[in-house]
Amino acid sequence: LADFVLQTGWMAHGKQRARNWLAPLAVHCLIHATGTLAIALALNPQLWWLAILDFGLHGAIDYGKARIGLAAGLSPEVASYWWLFGVDQQMHALTHMGLAIALIAG
């Protein structure tokens, strides 16, 4: 939800810019962290801090993707862009799996 449905164009394009990327990236990561916080509070409130971890990890992954894309001059017209997008989404999926394991293991 946070990467697609709840992400506005301002966030998606803004976090990819060479300059003035921090605010769009921070708002996007805050949406992710809010979702993680809601799940943590429902399942295991003492793990509320996983929301902070999610904020940082999501930000680092998206920041890295943007910097690599900018440095390589990638655009959706080239296959390398989609490879990078796939790696980004896989890293997010692994993060979510880790968060789920942490919540279940308690």
Side-chain angles (χ1 to χ4, degrees):
L1 286 173
D3 261 353
F4 297 101
V5 176
L6 300 176
Q7 183 170 206
T8 67
W10 173 76
M11 288 180 243
H13 297 294
K15 66 184 184 172
Q16 303 292 331
R17 292 190 301 242
R19 296 174 51 187
N20 302 318
W21 52 265
L22 183 58
L25 178 60
V27 172
H28 174 64
C29 292
L30 185 60
I31 291 170
H32 272 275
T34 301
T36 299
L37 180 61
I39 294 167
L41 291 176
L43 298 178
N44 193 342
Q46 65 206 32
L47 295 178
W48 61 267
W49 56 268
L50 289 174
I52 297 169
L53 180 64
D54 189 22
F55 182 94
L57 288 172
H58 200 90
I61 292 166
D62 280 8
Y63 177 81
K65 175 187 160 219
R67 297 313 112 197
I68 291 168
L70 285 169
L74 301 182
S75 68
E77 292 78 29
V78 295
S80 302
Y81 172 91
W82 296 105
W83 278 88
L84 183 60
F85 179 82
V87 169
D88 167 81
Q89 289 302 300
Q90 185 62 43
M91 291 176 75
H92 290 317
L94 291 171
T95 300
H96 293 147
M97 189 178 345
L99 292 170
I101 290 168
L103 285 165
I104 291 167

